[in-house]
Coordinates of all heavy atoms in Angstrom, one line a residue:
M1 N 2.0 8.7 -11.5 CA 2.2 7.4 -12.1 C 3.6 6.9 -11.9 O 3.7 5.7 -11.7 CB 2.0 7.5 -13.6 CG 2.4 6.2 -14.3 SD 2.3 6.4 -16.1 CE 0.6 6.3 -16.4
G2 N 4.5 7.7 -11.8 CA 5.9 7.3 -11.6 C 6.1 6.6 -10.3 O 6.7 5.5 -10.1
R3 N 5.4 7.1 -9.2 CA 5.5 6.5 -7.9 C 4.8 5.1 -7.9 O 5.3 4.2 -7.3 CB 4.9 7.5 -6.9 CG 4.9 6.9 -5.4 CD 6.3 6.9 -4.9 NE 6.3 6.4 -3.5 CZ 7.0 5.4 -3.1 NH1 7.9 4.9 -3.9 NH2 6.9 5.0 -1.9
A4 N 3.6 5.1 -8.5 CA 2.9 3.8 -8.6 C 3.8 2.7 -9.3 O 3.9 1.6 -8.9 CB 1.6 4.0 -9.3
A5 N 4.4 3.1 -10.4 CA 5.2 2.2 -11.2 C 6.4 1.7 -10.4 O 6.8 0.6 -10.4 CB 5.7 2.9 -12.5
E6 N 7.0 2.7 -9.6 CA 8.1 2.4 -8.7 C 7.7 1.4 -7.7 O 8.4 0.4 -7.4 CB 8.6 3.6 -8.1 CG 9.8 3.5 -7.2 CD 10.3 4.8 -6.6 OE1 10.5 5.7 -7.4 OE2 10.4 4.9 -5.4
L7 N 6.5 1.6 -7.0 CA 6.0 0.7 -6.0 C 5.8 -0.7 -6.5 O 6.1 -1.7 -5.8 CB 4.7 1.2 -5.4 CG 4.7 2.4 -4.5 CD1 3.3 2.9 -4.2 CD2 5.4 2.0 -3.2
L8 N 5.3 -0.9 -7.8 CA 5.1 -2.2 -8.4 C 6.3 -2.7 -9.1 O 6.2 -3.9 -9.6 CB 3.9 -2.1 -9.3 CG 2.5 -1.6 -8.7 CD1 1.5 -1.3 -9.7 CD2 2.1 -2.7 -7.7
D9 N 7.3 -2.0 -9.2 CA 8.5 -2.4 -10.0 C 8.1 -2.7 -11.5 O 8.5 -3.7 -12.0 CB 9.2 -3.6 -9.3 CG 10.6 -3.8 -9.9 OD1 11.2 -2.8 -10.4 OD2 11.0 -4.9 -9.8
V10 N 7.3 -1.8 -12.0 CA 7.0 -1.9 -13.5 C 7.3 -0.5 -14.1 O 7.6 0.5 -13.4 CB 5.5 -2.2 -13.7 CG1 5.1 -3.5 -13.1 CG2 4.6 -1.1 -13.1
T11 N 7.2 -0.5 -15.4 CA 7.4 0.8 -16.1 C 6.0 1.6 -16.1 O 5.0 1.0 -16.1 CB 7.9 0.5 -17.5 OG1 6.8 -0.1 -18.3 CG2 9.1 -0.3 -17.5
P12 N 6.1 2.9 -16.3 CA 4.9 3.7 -16.5 C 4.1 3.2 -17.7 O 2.9 3.2 -17.7 CB 5.4 5.1 -16.6 CG 6.7 5.2 -15.9 CD 7.3 3.8 -16.1
A13 N 4.8 2.7 -18.8 CA 4.2 2.2 -20.0 C 3.3 1.0 -19.6 O 2.2 0.9 -20.2 CB 5.2 1.9 -21.0
F14 N 3.7 0.2 -18.7 CA 2.9 -1.0 -18.3 C 1.6 -0.5 -17.7 O 0.6 -1.0 -18.0 CB 3.7 -1.8 -17.3 CG 2.9 -3.0 -16.8 CD1 2.9 -4.2 -17.5 CD2 2.3 -3.0 -15.6 CE1 2.3 -5.3 -17.1 CE2 1.6 -4.1 -15.1 CZ 1.6 -5.3 -15.9
L15 N 1.7 0.5 -16.8 CA 0.4 1.1 -16.2 C -0.5 1.7 -17.3 O -1.7 1.5 -17.2 CB 0.8 2.1 -15.1 CG 1.4 1.5 -13.9 CD1 1.9 2.6 -12.9 CD2 0.5 0.4 -13.2
R16 N 0.1 2.4 -18.2 CA -0.6 3.0 -19.3 C -1.3 1.9 -20.1 O -2.5 2.0 -20.5 CB 0.2 3.8 -20.2 CG 0.5 5.2 -19.6 CD 1.2 6.1 -20.6 NE 2.4 5.7 -21.1 CZ 3.6 5.9 -20.5 NH1 3.7 6.7 -19.4 NH2 4.8 5.5 -21.0
N17 N -0.6 0.8 -20.3 CA -1.2 -0.4 -21.1 C -2.4 -1.0 -20.3 O -3.4 -1.4 -20.9 CB -0.1 -1.4 -21.4 CG 0.8 -1.0 -22.4 OD1 0.5 -0.1 -23.3 ND2 2.0 -1.6 -22.4
L18 N -2.3 -1.0 -19.0 CA -3.4 -1.5 -18.2 C -4.6 -0.6 -18.4 O -5.8 -1.1 -18.5 CB -3.0 -1.7 -16.8 CG -2.0 -2.7 -16.4 CD1 -1.7 -2.7 -14.9 CD2 -2.4 -4.1 -16.9
D19 N -4.4 0.7 -18.4 CA -5.4 1.7 -18.6 C -6.0 1.5 -20.0 O -7.3 1.4 -20.2 CB -4.9 3.1 -18.4 CG -5.9 4.2 -18.4 OD1 -7.1 3.9 -18.5 OD2 -5.5 5.4 -18.4
A20 N -5.2 1.3 -21.0 CA -5.6 1.1 -22.4 C -6.4 -0.2 -22.5 O -7.3 -0.2 -23.4 CB -4.5 1.1 -23.4
A21 N -6.1 -1.2 -21.7 CA -6.8 -2.5 -21.8 C -8.1 -2.4 -21.0 O -8.8 -3.4 -20.9 CB -5.9 -3.6 -21.3
N22 N -8.4 -1.3 -20.4 CA -9.6 -1.1 -19.6 C -9.7 -2.0 -18.4 O -10.8 -2.4 -18.0 CB -10.9 -1.3 -20.5 CG -11.0 -0.3 -21.5 OD1 -10.8 0.9 -21.4 ND2 -11.4 -0.8 -22.8
L23 N -8.5 -2.3 -17.8 CA -8.5 -3.0 -16.5 C -9.1 -2.1 -15.4 O -9.8 -2.5 -14.6 CB -7.1 -3.5 -16.2 CG -7.0 -4.3 -14.9 CD1 -7.9 -5.5 -14.9 CD2 -5.6 -4.7 -14.6
F24 N -8.6 -0.8 -15.5 CA -9.2 0.2 -14.6 C -8.9 1.6 -15.2 O -8.1 1.7 -16.2 CB -8.5 0.1 -13.2 CG -7.0 0.1 -13.2 CD1 -6.2 1.2 -13.6 CD2 -6.4 -1.1 -12.9 CE1 -4.8 1.1 -13.6 CE2 -5.0 -1.2 -12.9 CZ -4.2 -0.1 -13.3
V25 N -9.6 2.6 -14.7 CA -9.4 4.0 -15.1 C -9.0 4.8 -13.9 O -9.8 5.0 -13.0 CB -10.8 4.6 -15.7 CG1 -10.5 6.0 -16.2 CG2 -11.2 3.7 -16.9
P26 N -7.8 5.2 -13.9 CA -7.3 6.0 -12.8 C -7.9 7.3 -12.7 O -8.3 7.9 -13.7 CB -5.8 6.0 -13.0 CG -5.6 5.8 -14.4 CD -6.7 5.0 -14.9
Q27 N -8.0 7.8 -11.5 CA -8.5 9.2 -11.4 C -7.4 10.2 -11.9 O -6.2 9.7 -12.0 CB -8.7 9.5 -9.9 CG -9.8 8.8 -9.3 CD -11.2 9.0 -9.9 OE1 -11.5 10.2 -10.0 NE2 -12.0 8.0 -10.2
R28 N -7.7 11.4 -12.1 CA -6.8 12.4 -12.7 C -6.6 13.5 -11.6 O -7.7 14.0 -11.1 CB -7.2 12.9 -14.0 CG -7.2 11.9 -15.1 CD -5.8 11.6 -15.6 NE -5.8 10.7 -16.7 CZ -4.9 10.6 -17.6 NH1 -3.8 11.4 -17.6 NH2 -5.0 9.8 -18.6
S29 N -5.4 14.0 -11.4 CA -5.2 15.1 -10.6 C -5.6 16.4 -11.4 O -5.8 16.3 -12.6 CB -3.8 15.2 -10.2 OG -2.9 15.5 -11.3
P30 N -5.7 17.5 -10.7 CA -6.0 18.8 -11.5 C -5.0 19.0 -12.6 O -5.3 19.6 -13.6 CB -6.0 19.8 -10.4 CG -6.4 19.1 -9.2 CD -5.8 17.7 -9.3
G31 N -3.8 18.6 -12.4 CA -2.7 18.7 -13.4 C -2.7 17.7 -14.5 O -1.9 17.7 -15.4
G32 N -3.6 16.7 -14.4 CA -3.8 15.7 -15.4 C -2.9 14.4 -15.1 O -3.0 13.5 -15.9
H33 N -2.3 14.3 -13.9 CA -1.5 13.2 -13.6 C -2.5 12.0 -13.1 O -3.5 12.3 -12.5 CB -0.6 13.5 -12.5 CG 0.5 14.5 -12.9 ND1 1.5 14.2 -13.6 CD2 0.5 15.8 -12.6 CE1 2.2 15.4 -13.8 NE2 1.6 16.3 -13.2
R34 N -2.1 10.8 -13.5 CA -2.9 9.6 -13.1 C -2.7 9.4 -11.6 O -1.6 9.4 -11.1 CB -2.4 8.4 -13.9 CG -2.9 8.4 -15.3 CD -2.3 7.2 -16.0 NE -2.7 7.1 -17.4 CZ -2.1 7.7 -18.4 NH1 -1.0 8.4 -18.2 NH2 -2.6 7.5 -19.6
R35 N -3.8 9.1 -10.9 CA -3.8 8.8 -9.5 C -4.5 7.4 -9.3 O -5.6 7.2 -9.8 CB -4.6 9.8 -8.7 CG -4.1 11.2 -8.8 CD -3.1 11.4 -7.6 NE -2.4 12.6 -7.7 CZ -2.6 13.7 -7.0 NH1 -3.6 13.7 -6.1 NH2 -1.9 14.8 -7.1
Y36 N -3.8 6.5 -8.7 CA -4.3 5.1 -8.6 C -4.7 4.8 -7.1 O -4.0 5.2 -6.2 CB -3.1 4.1 -8.9 CG -2.7 4.2 -10.4 CD1 -1.6 5.0 -10.7 CD2 -3.4 3.6 -11.4 CE1 -1.2 5.2 -12.0 CE2 -3.0 3.7 -12.7 CZ -1.9 4.5 -13.0 OH -1.5 4.6 -14.3
S37 N -5.8 4.1 -7.0 CA -6.3 3.7 -5.7 C -5.5 2.4 -5.3 O -4.9 1.8 -6.1 CB -7.8 3.4 -5.7 OG -8.0 2.2 -6.6
R38 N -5.7 2.1 -4.0 CA -5.0 0.9 -3.5 C -5.5 -0.3 -4.2 O -4.8 -1.3 -4.6 CB -5.2 0.8 -2.0 CG -4.4 1.7 -1.2 CD -4.5 1.5 0.3 NE -3.6 2.4 0.9 CZ -4.0 3.2 1.9 NH1 -5.3 3.2 2.3 NH2 -3.1 4.0 2.5
Y39 N -6.8 -0.3 -4.5 CA -7.5 -1.4 -5.2 C -6.9 -1.6 -6.7 O -6.5 -2.6 -7.1 CB -9.0 -1.2 -5.3 CG -9.7 -2.3 -6.1 CD1 -9.8 -3.6 -5.7 CD2 -10.2 -1.9 -7.4 CE1 -10.4 -4.5 -6.4 CE2 -10.9 -2.9 -8.1 CZ -11.0 -4.2 -7.7 OH -11.6 -5.1 -8.4
Q40 N -6.7 -0.4 -7.3 CA -6.1 -0.5 -8.7 C -4.7 -0.9 -8.6 O -4.3 -1.6 -9.5 CB -6.3 0.9 -9.3 CG -7.7 1.3 -9.7 CD -7.8 2.8 -10.1 OE1 -7.1 3.7 -9.7 NE2 -8.8 3.0 -10.9
L41 N -4.0 -0.5 -7.6 CA -2.6 -1.0 -7.5 C -2.6 -2.5 -7.2 O -1.6 -3.2 -7.8 CB -1.9 -0.3 -6.3 CG -1.6 1.2 -6.6 CD1 -1.0 1.8 -5.4 CD2 -0.7 1.4 -7.8
R42 N -3.5 -3.1 -6.5 CA -3.6 -4.5 -6.3 C -3.9 -5.2 -7.6 O -3.3 -6.2 -8.0 CB -4.6 -4.9 -5.3 CG -4.2 -4.6 -3.9 CD -5.1 -5.3 -2.8 NE -6.5 -4.9 -2.9 CZ -7.0 -3.9 -2.3 NH1 -6.3 -3.1 -1.5 NH2 -8.3 -3.6 -2.4
L43 N -4.8 -4.6 -8.4 CA -5.1 -5.2 -9.8 C -3.8 -5.1 -10.6 O -3.6 -6.1 -11.4 CB -6.2 -4.4 -10.4 CG -7.6 -4.6 -9.8 CD1 -8.6 -3.7 -10.6 CD2 -8.1 -6.0 -9.8
A44 N -3.1 -4.0 -10.6 CA -1.9 -3.9 -11.4 C -0.9 -4.9 -11.0 O -0.2 -5.5 -11.8 CB -1.3 -2.5 -11.3
Q45 N -0.7 -5.2 -9.7 CA 0.2 -6.2 -9.2 C -0.2 -7.6 -9.7 O 0.6 -8.4 -10.1 CB 0.3 -6.2 -7.7 CG 1.3 -7.1 -7.1 CD 2.7 -6.9 -7.5 OE1 3.2 -5.7 -7.3 NE2 3.3 -7.8 -8.2
R46 N -1.5 -7.8 -9.7 CA -2.0 -9.2 -10.1 C -1.7 -9.3 -11.6 O -1.2 -10.3 -12.0 CB -3.5 -9.3 -9.9 CG -4.1 -10.5 -10.4 CD -3.8 -11.7 -9.6 NE -4.5 -12.9 -10.1 CZ -4.0 -14.0 -10.5 NH1 -2.7 -14.2 -10.4 NH2 -4.7 -15.0 -10.9
A47 N -1.8 -8.2 -12.4 CA -1.6 -8.3 -13.8 C -0.1 -8.5 -14.0 O 0.3 -9.3 -14.9 CB -2.0 -7.0 -14.5
R48 N 0.8 -7.9 -13.2 CA 2.2 -8.1 -13.3 C 2.6 -9.5 -13.1 O 3.4 -10.1 -13.7 CB 2.9 -7.1 -12.4 CG 4.4 -7.4 -12.5 CD 5.2 -6.4 -11.7 NE 6.6 -6.8 -11.8 CZ 7.4 -7.2 -10.8 NH1 6.9 -7.3 -9.6 NH2 8.7 -7.5 -11.1
D49 N 2.0 -10.0 -12.0 CA 2.3 -11.4 -11.6 C 1.9 -12.4 -12.8 O 2.7 -13.3 -13.1 CB 1.5 -11.9 -10.4 CG 2.0 -11.1 -9.1 OD1 3.1 -10.6 -9.1 OD2 1.2 -11.1 -8.1
L50 N 0.7 -12.2 -13.4 CA 0.3 -13.0 -14.5 C 1.2 -12.9 -15.7 O 1.6 -13.8 -16.4 CB -1.1 -12.7 -14.9 CG -2.2 -13.2 -13.9 CD1 -3.5 -12.7 -14.2 CD2 -2.3 -14.7 -13.9
V51 N 1.6 -11.6 -16.1 CA 2.5 -11.4 -17.2 C 3.9 -12.0 -16.9 O 4.5 -12.6 -17.8 CB 2.6 -9.9 -17.4 CG1 3.7 -9.5 -18.4 CG2 1.3 -9.3 -18.0
D52 N 4.4 -11.9 -15.7 CA 5.7 -12.5 -15.3 C 5.6 -14.1 -15.5 O 6.6 -14.7 -15.7 CB 6.0 -12.2 -13.9 CG 6.5 -10.8 -13.7 OD1 6.7 -10.1 -14.7 OD2 6.6 -10.3 -12.5
Q53 N 4.4 -14.6 -15.4 CA 4.2 -16.1 -15.6 C 4.1 -16.5 -17.0 O 3.9 -17.6 -17.3 CB 3.0 -16.6 -14.7 CG 3.2 -16.4 -13.2 CD 1.9 -16.7 -12.5 OE1 0.9 -17.2 -13.1 NE2 1.9 -16.4 -11.2
G54 N 4.1 -15.4 -17.9 CA 4.0 -15.7 -19.3 C 2.6 -15.5 -20.0 O 2.5 -15.7 -21.2
T55 N 1.7 -15.0 -19.2 CA 0.4 -14.6 -19.7 C 0.4 -13.3 -20.5 O 0.9 -12.3 -20.0 CB -0.7 -14.5 -18.6 OG1 -0.6 -15.7 -17.8 CG2 -2.1 -14.3 -19.1
P56 N -0.1 -13.3 -21.8 CA -0.1 -12.1 -22.5 C -1.0 -11.0 -21.7 O -1.9 -11.4 -21.0 CB -0.9 -12.5 -23.8 CG -0.7 -13.9 -23.9 CD -0.6 -14.4 -22.5
L57 N -0.6 -9.8 -21.9 CA -1.2 -8.7 -21.1 C -2.8 -8.6 -21.3 O -3.5 -8.5 -20.3 CB -0.6 -7.3 -21.4 CG -1.2 -6.2 -20.7 CD1 -0.8 -6.3 -19.2 CD2 -0.6 -4.8 -21.2
D58 N -3.2 -8.8 -22.5 CA -4.7 -8.7 -22.7 C -5.4 -9.9 -22.1 O -6.5 -9.7 -21.5 CB -5.0 -8.6 -24.2 CG -4.5 -9.8 -25.0 OD1 -3.5 -10.4 -24.6 OD2 -5.1 -10.1 -26.1
A59 N -4.8 -11.0 -22.1 CA -5.4 -12.2 -21.4 C -5.3 -12.0 -19.9 O -6.3 -12.4 -19.2 CB -4.6 -13.5 -21.8
A60 N -4.3 -11.5 -19.4 CA -4.1 -11.2 -18.0 C -5.2 -10.3 -17.5 O -5.8 -10.5 -16.4 CB -2.7 -10.6 -17.6
C61 N -5.5 -9.2 -18.2 CA -6.5 -8.3 -17.9 C -7.9 -8.9 -17.9 O -8.7 -8.7 -17.0 CB -6.5 -7.0 -18.8 SG -5.0 -6.0 -18.6
R62 N -8.1 -9.8 -18.9 CA -9.4 -10.5 -19.0 C -9.6 -11.4 -17.8 O -10.7 -11.5 -17.2 CB -9.5 -11.3 -20.3 CG -10.8 -11.9 -20.6 CD -11.9 -10.8 -20.8 NE -13.1 -11.5 -20.9 CZ -14.3 -11.0 -20.4 NH1 -14.3 -9.9 -19.7 NH2 -15.4 -11.7 -20.6
I63 N -8.5 -12.1 -17.4 CA -8.6 -13.0 -16.3 C -8.9 -12.3 -15.0 O -9.8 -12.7 -14.2 CB -7.2 -13.8 -16.1 CG1 -7.1 -14.8 -17.2 CG2 -7.1 -14.4 -14.7 CD1 -5.7 -15.3 -17.3
I64 N -8.3 -11.1 -14.8 CA -8.5 -10.3 -13.6 C -9.9 -9.8 -13.6 O -10.6 -9.8 -12.5 CB -7.5 -9.2 -13.5 CG1 -6.1 -9.7 -13.3 CG2 -7.8 -8.2 -12.4 CD1 -5.0 -8.8 -13.6
I65 N -10.4 -9.3 -14.7 CA -11.8 -8.9 -14.8 C -12.8 -10.0 -14.5 O -13.7 -9.8 -13.7 CB -12.1 -8.2 -16.2 CG1 -11.3 -6.9 -16.3 CG2 -13.6 -8.0 -16.4 CD1 -11.3 -6.4 -17.7
L66 N -12.6 -11.2 -15.0 CA -13.4 -12.3 -14.7 C -13.4 -12.7 -13.3 O -14.4 -13.1 -12.7 CB -13.1 -13.5 -15.7 CG -13.5 -13.2 -17.1 CD1 -12.9 -14.4 -18.0 CD2 -15.0 -13.2 -17.3
E67 N -12.2 -12.7 -12.7 CA -12.0 -13.0 -11.2 C -12.8 -12.1 -10.4 O -13.5 -12.4 -9.4 CB -10.6 -13.0 -10.8 CG -9.7 -14.2 -11.3 CD -8.3 -14.1 -11.0 OE1 -7.8 -13.0 -10.7 OE2 -7.6 -15.1 -11.1
D68 N -12.7 -10.8 -10.7 CA -13.4 -9.7 -10.0 C -15.0 -9.9 -10.1 O -15.7 -9.8 -9.1 CB -13.0 -8.3 -10.5 CG -13.3 -7.2 -9.6 OD1 -13.0 -7.4 -8.4 OD2 -13.8 -6.2 -10.0
Q69 N -15.4 -10.2 -11.3 CA -16.8 -10.5 -11.6 C -17.3 -11.7 -10.8 O -18.4 -11.7 -10.2 CB -17.2 -10.6 -13.1 CG -17.0 -9.4 -13.8 CD -17.2 -9.6 -15.3 OE1 -17.1 -10.7 -15.8 NE2 -17.3 -8.5 -16.0
L70 N -16.5 -12.7 -10.7 CA -16.9 -13.9 -10.0 C -17.0 -13.7 -8.5 O -17.9 -14.0 -7.8 CB -15.9 -15.0 -10.2 CG -16.1 -16.3 -9.4 CD1 -17.4 -16.9 -9.7 CD2 -14.9 -17.3 -9.7
A71 N -16.0 -12.9 -8.0 CA -16.0 -12.6 -6.5 C -17.3 -11.7 -6.2 O -17.9 -12.0 -5.2 CB -14.7 -11.8 -6.2
E72 N -17.6 -10.8 -7.1 CA -18.8 -10.0 -6.8 C -20.1 -10.9 -6.9 O -21.0 -10.7 -6.1 CB -18.9 -8.8 -7.9 CG -20.1 -7.9 -7.7 CD -20.1 -7.1 -6.4 OE1 -19.2 -7.1 -5.7 OE2 -21.2 -6.6 -6.1
A73 N -20.2 -11.8 -7.9 CA -21.3 -12.6 -8.0 C -21.4 -13.5 -6.7 O -22.5 -13.8 -6.2 CB -21.2 -13.5 -9.2
Q74 N -20.3 -14.1 -6.2 CA -20.3 -14.8 -5.0 C -20.8 -14.1 -3.8 O -21.5 -14.6 -3.0 CB -18.9 -15.5 -4.8 CG -18.6 -16.6 -5.8 CD -17.2 -17.1 -5.7 OE1 -16.3 -16.3 -5.4 NE2 -17.0 -18.3 -6.1
R75 N -20.3 -12.8 -3.8 CA -20.7 -11.9 -2.6 C -22.3 -11.7 -2.7 O -22.9 -11.8 -1.7 CB -20.0 -10.6 -2.7 CG -20.3 -9.7 -1.5 CD -19.7 -8.3 -1.7 NE -20.3 -7.6 -2.8 CZ -21.6 -7.0 -2.8 NH1 -22.3 -7.1 -1.7 NH2 -22.1 -6.4 -3.8
I76 N -22.8 -11.4 -3.8 CA -24.2 -11.2 -4.0 C -25.0 -12.5 -3.7 O -26.0 -12.4 -3.0 CB -24.5 -10.7 -5.4 CG1 -24.0 -9.3 -5.6 CG2 -26.1 -10.7 -5.7 CD1 -24.0 -8.8 -7.0
N77 N -24.5 -13.6 -4.1 CA -25.1 -14.9 -3.9 C -25.2 -15.2 -2.4 O -26.2 -15.6 -1.8 CB -24.4 -16.0 -4.6 CG -25.1 -17.3 -4.7 OD1 -26.3 -17.4 -4.2 ND2 -24.5 -18.3 -5.3
A78 N -24.1 -14.9 -1.7 CA -24.1 -15.1 -0.2 C -25.1 -14.2 0.5 O -25.8 -14.6 1.4 CB -22.7 -14.9 0.3
Q79 N -25.2 -13.0 0.0 CA -26.2 -12.1 0.6 C -27.6 -12.6 0.4 O -28.4 -12.5 1.3 CB -26.0 -10.7 0.1 CG -24.9 -9.9 0.6 CD -24.8 -8.5 -0.1 OE1 -25.3 -8.2 -1.1 NE2 -24.1 -7.6 0.6
L80 N -27.8 -13.0 -0.8 CA -29.2 -13.5 -1.1 C -29.5 -14.8 -0.3 O -30.7 -14.9 0.2 CB -29.3 -13.8 -2.6 CG -29.3 -12.6 -3.5 CD1 -29.3 -13.0 -5.0 CD2 -30.6 -11.8 -3.3
R81 N -28.5 -15.7 -0.2 CA -28.8 -16.8 0.7 C -29.1 -16.4 2.1 O -29.9 -17.0 2.8 CB -27.5 -17.7 0.6 CG -27.5 -18.6 -0.6 CD -26.4 -19.7 -0.4 NE -26.2 -20.3 -1.7 CZ -25.0 -20.7 -2.1 NH1 -24.0 -20.3 -1.5 NH2 -24.9 -21.3 -3.3
Q82 N -28.3 -15.5 2.6 CA -28.5 -15.1 4.0 C -29.8 -14.4 4.2 O -30.5 -14.7 5.1 CB -27.4 -14.0 4.4 CG -27.5 -13.6 5.8 CD -26.4 -12.6 6.1 OE1 -25.9 -11.8 5.3 NE2 -26.0 -12.6 7.4
H83 N -30.3 -13.7 3.2 CA -31.6 -13.0 3.2 C -32.7 -14.1 3.1 O -33.7 -13.9 3.9 CB -31.8 -12.0 2.1 CG -33.0 -11.3 2.0 ND1 -33.5 -10.5 3.0 CD2 -34.0 -11.4 1.1 CE1 -34.7 -10.1 2.7 NE2 -35.0 -10.5 1.5
T84 N -32.6 -15.1 2.3 CA -33.7 -16.1 2.2 C -33.7 -17.1 3.3 O -34.7 -17.7 3.5 CB -33.5 -16.9 0.8 OG1 -32.2 -17.5 0.8 CG2 -33.7 -15.9 -0.3
D85 N -32.5 -17.2 4.0 CA -32.5 -18.1 5.2 C -33.1 -17.6 6.4 O -33.4 -18.3 7.4 CB -31.0 -18.5 5.4 CG -30.5 -19.5 4.4 OD1 -31.3 -20.0 3.6 OD2 -29.2 -19.6 4.3
Q86 N -33.3 -16.3 6.4 CA -33.9 -15.6 7.6 C -35.4 -16.0 7.7 O -36.1 -15.9 6.7 CB -33.7 -14.1 7.5 CG -32.3 -13.7 7.6 CD -32.2 -12.1 7.5 OE1 -33.1 -11.4 7.3 NE2 -30.9 -11.7 7.7
P87 N -35.9 -16.3 8.9 CA -37.3 -16.6 9.1 C -38.2 -15.3 8.8 O -37.7 -14.2 9.1 CB -37.4 -17.1 10.5 CG -36.3 -16.6 11.2 CD -35.2 -16.4 10.1
P88 N -39.4 -15.5 8.3 CA -40.3 -14.3 8.1 C -40.6 -13.6 9.4 O -40.8 -14.3 10.4 CB -41.5 -14.9 7.4 CG -41.3 -16.4 7.3 CD -40.0 -16.7 7.9
T89 N -40.7 -12.4 9.3 CA -41.1 -11.6 10.6 C -42.5 -11.2 10.6 O -43.2 -11.2 9.7 CB -40.3 -10.3 10.7 OG1 -40.4 -9.5 9.5 CG2 -38.8 -10.7 10.9

């Protein structure tokens, strides 16, 4: 966690708060240390950016979750469109 906090220029408490807000759940090492994926680090950076702009942490997490859900829905929609646009075989 310390290295992740250092990379993002945040405190470890900020990362714990993101975990508590259910933005993501980091993996745990055998010793119990939090391990963050690159995707989770990108989410944490986005949260930091929003908080730096004055957005409360809980609202920032909700915004990020909704953005992620929208992107996934758009991806599925594009797949469905591509599938329905194909001529029958």
Side-chain angles (χ1 to χ4, degrees):
M1 173 186 286
R3 179 72 179 128
E6 184 180 305
L7 284 170
L8 298 171
D9 195 25
V10 298
T11 64
F14 181 82
L15 292 175
R16 284 192 295 273
N17 288 337
L18 295 179
D19 189 5
N22 294 317
L23 182 58
F24 49 72
V25 178
Q27 297 293 315
R28 297 283 184 154
S29 71
H33 299 282
R34 289 176 175 89
R35 299 269 172 103
Y36 298 95
S37 68
R38 287 186 177 125
Y39 175 72
Q40 290 171 332
L41 291 175
R42 283 193 304 272
L43 292 178
Q45 181 62 56
R46 176 75 173 123
R48 178 178 179 242
D49 293 344
L50 288 169
V51 169
D52 286 350
Q53 295 171 10
T55 307
L57 183 64
D58 59 334
C61 291
R62 186 68 183 139
I63 289 167
I64 294 165
I65 290 167
L66 290 170
E67 287 174 342
D68 198 47
Q69 289 173 345
L70 176 61
E72 179 65 10
Q74 289 172 329
R75 185 190 64 77
I76 291 169
N77 194 3
Q79 283 181 336
L80 290 172
R81 279 193 189 136
Q82 184 180 28
H83 178 65
T84 58
D85 289 345
Q86 292 178 357
T89 56

